[in-house]
Amino acid sequence: MKSASILLSKTGQRPRSLGNAVIIVTLLVLIAPSNIVGLMLALAYAALAGKGPRRLIPLLIAAALFLASFNSTKAPVSDLYSYQLASEVLADANFYQLLLLHGHEPGYYFLNWLYVYQFRFSWASWVFTFSFMFYFLWLTALRLLVGTLNLNRSVQLAVIVLAAFFPLVFVQSSHLVRQYIANGIALFGMVRFLTDGRGWFLFCLAPLFHVVAAIFLVVPFSAWLGQRSRRKAIIFSVVSPLLLILGGRLIGQSLATLEALNVPRVLTYGISRLSQEQFHELDEVGATALIFSLISLLASLSALACHRSRPISSDPLVSSRLAAFVTFNAVLAGSTMLLAISGLTEPATRLFQIVLLQFPFLFAVLAASSHAARLAAIGVGSIMPLAFFVYPSAWEYGDPGEILLLAYYAFLFQW
């Protein structure tokens, strides 16, 4: 039996068998008669299958389809209404007009233009599509990270469930649409960089959906400096985000001069957003954001302390990249609090969204070196689906029971 087991391992039949099972379960999720059936099937497979992170693929697809279905029922108000109006304008625009209208962040608007102008799908269907794009990218990046960190099966599953049903993320995912898609792309690139040093294309692609995503480039440069001098890397990680934000504000206050000098809109747009003191209707950052940023800051410092005493990876390159990522998160969390206290709502809110989206990744890194964090991940992950349904949202959605009982394609294929 032992020799047979070794033979199977060498010939790769077991990995192929596992891959076939993942494909079969994924297909069953895609043809499931309702969202709840797809979720339960994928969750059971993730809990009972082997140890590898590939078993989580059907679950992240089922979760992304369900959350996209939920978002497609959201009443178009606030930012989402603005996106709907922009989509209606694009429906009658040609490609040249698209570039004139939205050349500053063409990624999102180009995809929207293809969807509504070329394919003629409905707005609700487009909401479904971009919601699925964000969640699939974000959860896939997290799956790759928990696999690289070699977390045990229960913790891997808990972290994925925690992220997928995190209500603070969900209520913003169809509100700050472009920023969330951009951050999903950037975090996918981030995990590629943390694990194998790649991901540069994704770092460069993300700002085409939202310019603030350019701030993620701090991490690879900080990791590069960290291989030479830890002190220089820390200084760079702290100073560069503040320079990007506060320097952008100073330049943004001179936008009239920049426009008079015929500086292209693609350059001044991002600066103008950071120069705002208030975030649309908000005149201050809420207590939830401040408390969560403080928790994230403390978790980052704890992860750095654990990492310093016992590096997560034996590979020094991976260790320096992980340290740069955690330091980056600590700086963003601290900056969010400082900017909020200073009354700079716009940059504080923008940075908080990144802190929010990075939190499950930070949790995974901390769980790799802390037994208490692993227990916390399992505990929080187990109650997060309940928190998702009871969380009081300011937005109006369809009936949760109906969304669960209907299949995702009832929400996707709308004309």
Side-chain angles (χ1 to χ4, degrees):
M1 290 295 292
K2 184 176 181 180
S3 60
S5 176
I6 295 174
L7 179 61
L8 285 173
S9 177
K10 288 183 177 180
T11 57
Q13 291 182 26
R14 282 185 174 173
R16 186 180 299 117
S17 176
L18 178 61
N20 291 338
V22 170
I23 293 172
I24 292 171
V25 177
T26 299
L27 290 174
L28 291 175
V29 166
L30 293 175
I31 63 174
S34 69
N35 280 312
I36 186 64
V37 171
L39 282 169
M40 292 297 100
L41 178 63
L43 184 61
Y45 178 72
L48 301 176
K51 297 180 180 179
R54 294 181 65 185
R55 79 190 197 288
L56 298 169
I57 293 175
L59 177 59
L60 66 89
I61 291 176
L65 291 172
F66 164 68
L67 295 164
S69 300
F70 217 122
N71 263 338
S72 71
T73 67
K74 180 183 176 182
V77 295
S78 189
D79 275 27
L80 189 62
Y81 180 63
S82 299
Y83 282 115
Q84 183 180 22
L85 294 179
S87 181
E88 291 173 356
V89 172
L90 289 177
D92 296 318
N94 56 40
F95 184 71
Y96 177 71
Q97 292 170 327
L98 163 70
L99 294 179
L100 287 178
L101 288 170
H102 302 291
H104 48 277
E105 288 168 335
Y108 168 83
Y109 291 105
F110 176 70
L111 291 180
N112 181 220
W113 176 76
L114 283 178
Y115 209 84
V116 301
Y117 181 78
Q118 298 294 336
F119 303 135
R120 296 293 176 180
F121 281 101
S122 69
W123 169 247
S125 178
W126 171 238
V127 174
F128 179 102
T129 301
F130 71 64
S131 296
F132 178 82
M133 286 172 55
F134 159 68
Y135 271 107
F136 182 76
L137 286 168
W138 188 52
L139 295 176
T140 298
L142 185 58
R143 182 190 70 84
L144 294 175
L145 181 63
V146 298
T148 300
L149 295 174
N150 201 28
L151 298 174
N152 66 49
R153 182 170 61 181
S154 299
V155 177
Q156 288 182 3
L157 177 58
V159 171
I160 291 293
V161 172
L162 183 157
F165 293 96
F166 198 8
L168 292 179
V169 169
F170 176 74
V171 295
Q172 301 290 355
S173 62
S174 59
H175 178 61
L176 304 176
V177 173
R178 288 177 297 117
Q179 185 175 357
Y180 268 54
I181 294 179
N183 289 347
I185 295 171
L187 283 170
F188 192 88
M190 179 76 72
V191 173
R192 290 296 309 277
F193 174 76
L194 294 177
T195 55
D196 59 18
R198 301 178 182 179
W200 287 92
F201 169 73
L202 296 168
F203 281 127
C204 296
L205 177 65
L208 298 181
F209 289 80
H210 198 281
V211 292
V212 176
I215 200 170
F216 283 95
L217 286 168
V218 168
V219 174
F221 285 110
S222 177
W224 178 76
L225 284 173
Q227 298 171 28
R228 291 152 179 80
S229 169
R230 180 178 295 178
R231 180 178 300 177
K232 290 181 180 179
I234 293 174
I235 293 174
F236 178 81
S237 298
V238 173
V239 172
S240 54
L242 295 177
L243 286 178
L244 286 171
I245 296 166
L246 300 180
R249 281 183 50 76
L250 292 174
I251 297 173
Q253 292 170 358
S254 304
L255 277 179
T257 303
L258 294 176
E259 292 174 355
L261 294 174
N262 294 320
V263 175
R265 173 66 173 165
V266 67
L267 297 178
T268 61
Y269 175 77
I271 295 173
S272 68
R273 294 307 300 270
L274 289 177
S275 68
Q276 292 177 259
E277 293 189 2
Q278 295 187 355
F279 187 73
H280 301 286
E281 310 91 39
L282 298 179
D283 56 4
E284 62 180 10
V285 177
T288 300
L290 291 173
I291 294 172
F292 190 88
S293 296
L294 177 60
I295 293 173
S296 184
L297 174 60
L298 295 176
S300 298
L301 296 176
S302 177
L304 286 172
C306 293
H307 179 73
R308 188 170 183 177
S309 61
R310 186 167 65 90
I312 297 172
S313 174
S314 58
D315 186 335
L317 288 177
V318 176
S319 291
S320 66
R321 293 167 190 155
L322 287 169
F325 167 73
V326 177
T327 302
F328 174 67
N329 193 82
V331 171
L332 293 188
S335 298
T336 297
M337 292 188 291
L338 290 175
L339 291 169
I341 293 171
S342 302
L344 302 178
T345 308
E346 171 78 14
T349 304
R350 294 294 179 189
L351 293 188
F352 173 64
Q353 303 309 317
I354 301 175
V355 172
L356 196 62
L357 291 174
Q358 287 187 161
F359 185 73
F361 296 76
L362 174 64
F363 212 150
V365 173
L366 187 58
S369 56
S370 169
H371 180 67
R374 290 191 286 273
L375 292 178
I378 294 173
V380 175
S382 63
I383 65 172
M384 197 57 69
L386 175 62
F388 174 85
F389 286 104
V390 301
Y391 183 79
S393 173
W395 316 121
E396 182 180 342
Y397 299 90
D399 179 64
E402 182 178 334
I403 297 169
L404 281 169
L405 292 175
L406 289 175
Y408 72 90
Y409 33 83
F411 303 93
L412 171 59
F413 298 111
Q414 302 183 54
W415 298 89

